[in-house]
Amino acid sequence: MATNKGKIGVLIEEHFDETEYIRFNEFFPENGYEVDYMSHLWNQESLKFNGNDHQAEATVTVEVNNVNLADYKGIILIGGYAMDRLRYEPSVKAGKPNQAPAVEFLRKAVKAMDAGNLKIGTICHSMWLFCADTELLKGRKVTCAHNILCDVENAGATIVYEGEETAATHIDGNLISGRHPGVVEEFMQLFLQELDKKQQVAVG
């Protein structure tokens, strides 16, 4: 295993993309980064989540409410339907912004990202979490899965295209986005390059 360069936090919930989950667990530790999975645990010490194909299972013990962003070099929102589930609020009120713990966490993460202190990665459907608050996406350029294009555009982002597809990957400042699990290798390499670039700047 490579020298420890720090930690990457991955937001996860039920129905996560298993291709991404498996590769994150292999790729990032091989390249020096520890991976922590985090979620809203609903007052439980741990929760188990199943992937889309019901082949992979993730046990999560990190409550998103308790995360200190300073402990992480980057945050990734996993694909599949996990981020839609993390937008859920038990009660809502007209005119009140989404108060789900993961959305509140993302607001803090975006502030850290815009300040240059954090990299955030999204892939496939995970841009859904950003769509819970239009202030998070307004004016940004991103890529995502084809079937959530309207969601992302309605949240204020500009979609980047390559011919008749959304771009495989895109970097907008410290936000790295990927189209779907089919480009997970390119996405991870890009995220790693951006993390390592930040490390080099910090060392320099």
Side-chain angles (χ1 to χ4, degrees):
M1 186 178 291
T3 304
N4 193 337
K5 299 176 183 176
K7 294 199 293 186
I8 297 171
V10 179
L11 274 171
I12 196 168
E13 235 278 5
E14 191 78 1
H15 299 301
F16 60 86
D17 184 88
E18 297 185 19
T19 298
E20 295 163 21
Y21 176 73
I22 291 167
R23 288 300 292 132
F24 291 169
N25 292 339
E26 296 167 344
F27 179 84
F28 290 115
E30 286 170 357
N31 286 279
Y33 289 93
E34 180 183 345
V35 178
D36 272 358
Y37 286 91
M38 54 186 66
S39 191
H40 180 43
L41 303 180
W42 299 94
N43 298 315
Q44 305 297 310
E45 289 187 5
S46 68
L47 284 177
K48 291 184 178 180
F49 301 121
N50 291 296
N52 277 340
D53 300 324
H54 299 283
Q55 299 296 315
E57 183 180 80
T59 299
V60 182
T61 59
V62 180
E63 165 58 54
V64 73
N65 283 321
N66 302 330
V67 170
N68 180 359
L69 283 169
D71 293 338
Y72 295 88
K73 303 295 183 184
I75 299 292
I76 294 176
L77 282 53
I78 202 165
Y81 299 98
M83 294 308 107
D84 182 41
R85 294 176 63 86
L86 281 174
R87 300 189 296 184
Y88 173 72
E89 301 175 275
S91 59
V92 295
K93 186 176 181 181
K96 185 177 180 181
N98 189 305
Q99 301 294 308
V103 177
E104 292 279 40
F105 170 77
L106 185 58
R107 290 188 181 105
K108 295 174 187 175
V110 166
K111 284 183 181 178
M113 178 186 77
D114 287 340
N117 299 321
L118 190 72
K119 303 290 183 182
I120 298 181
T122 68
I123 185 165
C124 197
H125 285 68
S126 69
M127 193 64 75
W128 259 339
L129 192 64
F130 270 85
C131 294
D133 184 344
T134 56
E135 292 301 314
L136 299 176
L137 269 184
K138 191 179 296 181
R140 302 189 193 275
K141 293 183 178 181
V142 300
T143 188
C144 62
H146 288 186
N147 42 340
I148 64 167
L149 287 176
C150 288
D151 307 63
V152 175
E153 288 176 333
N154 287 338
T158 298
I159 303 291
V160 180
Y161 290 87
E162 291 173 355
E164 295 184 350
E165 291 185 297
T166 56
T169 55
H170 187 72
I171 301 174
D172 184 350
N174 291 312
L175 177 61
I176 300 96
S177 52
R179 181 170 59 218
H180 55 46
V183 301
V184 69
E185 301 300 325
E186 180 179 339
F187 169 79
M188 291 188 303
Q189 287 286 354
L190 204 58
F191 197 76
L192 179 67
Q193 288 169 21
E194 292 300 299
L195 286 175
D196 286 349
K197 187 187 300 181
K198 188 176 189 300
Q199 293 274 56
Q200 290 164 10
V201 170
V203 172

